[in-house]
Amino acid sequence: MEIKSVSCVFFSPTGSTQKVVHNIAQGMQAEVLDVMDCTNRSKRREGMGTIQSDLLIIGVPVYYGRVPEEAAPFLKSLSGRGVPVVLVVTYGNREYEDSLLELHDIAAEQGFIPVAGGAFVAEHSYSLPSRPIAHGRPDVSDIATAQDFGMQIRKEPELFL
């Protein structure tokens, strides 16, 4: 399967998840890129409907080891109809627990075909200058890893699709 078009859906209150998802997509070098930032509540109400791209990337931060309660209903409103999906979680350098599995289950229930997944470290939302937690992450190395992940999916889709 050739990946010409990629859709990205993400919930990213701090911008870290958006950065990781964007760089995975950049590594795929798709001709068409459709982006849906569902961080804003009004955008979640608009919905996205059926995904028409060759591949979807879904990204969310981890809250207490889970997919954020605010994002889950929106993700459950998407319609996959057999579209391959790459699942991405960002976590504050502690633990991502079952969040990737939960995201997998949501995507599969909506008709997507999970083909790859990754957990990426991001600065914790509780990080403070006096108490830094994964400060500055994703950093240059993390971005390179995300882009490489996207390139690997594009180069060898048979390993993932």
Side-chain angles (χ1 to χ4, degrees):
M1 174 184 169
E2 191 173 346
I3 302 169
K4 291 186 178 180
S5 61
V6 174
S7 290
C8 300
V9 174
F10 54 83
F11 179 80
S12 186
T14 66
S16 296
T17 303
Q18 176 181 3
K19 187 181 286 187
V20 170
V21 167
H22 173 78
N23 279 283
I24 292 169
Q26 189 175 18
M28 289 182 183
Q29 301 172 340
E31 295 171 16
V32 178
L33 182 63
D34 185 29
V35 176
M36 172 62 172
D37 180 351
C38 70
T39 307
N40 186 310
R41 188 173 287 129
S42 65
K43 292 288 184 188
R44 290 194 300 272
R45 280 193 287 261
E46 290 173 18
M48 190 168 189
T50 302
I51 304 300
Q52 302 295 328
S53 299
D54 295 330
L55 184 131
L56 172 66
I57 303 170
I58 298 175
V60 298
V62 174
Y63 290 175
Y64 305 104
R66 307 287 310 271
V67 170
E69 288 180 18
E70 289 183 63
F74 173 79
L75 297 174
K76 291 176 181 179
S77 75
L78 301 176
S79 177
R81 298 185 185 186
V83 172
V85 63
V86 174
L87 308 167
V88 177
V89 297
T90 58
Y91 66 103
N93 205 32
R94 187 189 69 81
E95 181 64 55
Y96 61 93
E97 297 175 31
D98 289 336
S99 60
L100 201 51
L101 176 60
E102 182 182 4
L103 189 58
H104 171 280
D105 292 348
I106 290 170
E109 287 170 9
Q110 299 317 119
F112 294 99
I113 300 172
V115 296
F120 293 80
V121 174
E123 185 167 347
H124 199 288
S125 59
Y126 291 166
S127 183
L128 299 169
S130 62
R131 192 181 60 219
I133 307 169
H135 180 71
R137 306 281 301 270
D139 58 20
V140 173
S141 177
D142 299 320
I143 296 305
T145 299
Q147 289 177 354
D148 185 58
F149 183 55
M151 281 190 277
Q152 290 303 313
I153 293 168
R154 180 172 180 84
K155 276 182 173 175
E156 302 181 72
E158 66 278 357
L159 294 177
F160 298 95
L161 303 175

